[in-house]
Amino acid sequence: MANVPWIIENGGDKYAEMGYNRSRGTKVLSLNSLFERPGLYEVEFGIPLREVVYEIGGGLKGGRRLKGVIVGGPLSPVIRPEELDVRLGVEELRAIGASLGHGNVIAFSDDTPIVDLLHEIVHFAAFESCGKCFPCRLGTSELDRLFEEASRRGYLTKAEAEEALRTAETMMAASLCSHGVGTGEAVAVTLKKYWDEVVR
Ligand code: SF4
């Protein structure tokens, strides 16, 4: 909606001159409170995520080190620091298993245990599941149970991690809507990216 007045004033063609690849125009991003300069920023599609994190956001408060960033909403997979050269765009983010969503940029620092982060995600997903289809209804509650235990212990066993992956992949393949699919993706992609930390 923020784009509409500008488009009416300047025309759609002018707006479409901005952007990158198939993502045209601009996007409003919301940087979370962990950034040195949190807040709302309108950026042109195609900007590297590294520039968003370190130049616009100023990095993390107090010089803390970045462990990862979630772009989109809570059901978007985590992007690792070494992936920050990705450009902001729908296809570009999909190519690294992430998503654009509604443009939240949630950074977290290197003292955040990924197992706790995953527990928060699946706990939220289980609470929000409407229960209409069983892959999501049973999958989110099973993942919530697995990660609650793992969060208390500090890690997942290999058998638990494999079970979590199977459950997440079933949710991705068979859930009726993006809630179940997104939860499955967030768990599967994030777990694979941080396997060495999460699994013992
Ligand atoms: S995937 Fe969608 S339809 Fe299925 S239980 Fe979850 S929220 Fe409901």
Side-chain angles (χ1 to χ4, degrees):
M1 288 302 284
N3 302 131
V4 174
W6 193 95
I7 293 172
I8 290 172
E9 217 169 281
N10 299 280
D13 290 344
K14 201 79 190 152
Y15 183 76
E17 282 175 13
M18 294 184 282
Y20 181 77
N21 207 0
R22 293 178 61 195
S23 299
R24 310 309 311 169
T26 63
K27 178 81 180 166
V28 175
L29 299 177
S30 169
L31 275 56
N32 74 339
S33 61
L34 225 61
F35 281 100
E36 195 66 58
R37 292 189 288 274
L40 290 173
Y41 298 92
E42 185 176 8
V43 299
E44 190 173 345
F45 276 114
I47 184 174
L49 206 49
R50 189 176 299 283
E51 206 175 312
V52 172
V53 169
Y54 290 106
E55 289 178 33
I56 296 176
L60 299 193
K61 277 194 177 118
R64 285 200 269 180
R65 288 185 57 198
L66 183 78
K67 188 174 204 172
V69 61
I70 295 174
V71 176
L75 303 184
S76 299
V78 175
I79 298 169
R80 292 186 61 114
E82 57 268 30
E83 297 175 302
L84 286 181
D85 290 324
V86 65
R87 287 175 179 270
L88 190 79
V90 175
E91 282 82 16
E92 289 72 21
L93 287 166
R94 289 305 301 164
I96 60 161
S99 63
L100 180 66
H102 45 64
N104 268 355
V105 183
I106 306 162
F108 48 94
S109 53
D110 63 358
D111 56 356
T112 307
I114 296 294
V115 75
D116 290 355
L117 181 79
L118 282 167
H119 179 228
E120 288 296 324
I121 290 170
V122 295
H123 188 65
F124 163 79
F127 181 78
E128 290 291 327
S129 171
C130 80
K132 185 175 175 184
C133 66
F134 73 86
C136 172
R137 184 179 69 241
L138 301 181
T140 52
S141 58
E142 173 62 7
L143 289 173
D144 190 19
R145 183 193 66 75
L146 267 176
F147 279 100
E148 186 179 359
E149 229 171 280
S151 178
R152 264 201 300 269
R153 191 194 304 133
Y155 63 91
L156 279 173
T157 64
K158 193 155 181 282
E160 287 170 336
E162 281 164 358
E163 189 185 335
L165 266 187
R166 270 196 306 277
T167 304
E169 283 164 2
T170 303
M171 291 169 66
M172 287 163 66
S175 294
L176 276 182
C177 82
S178 59
H179 184 79
V181 175
T183 304
E185 266 180 12
V187 170
V189 175
T190 306
L191 186 52
K192 284 177 191 166
K193 284 185 181 179
Y194 290 88
W195 187 271
D196 288 347
E197 172 189 322
V198 175
V199 184
R200 287 188 209 160

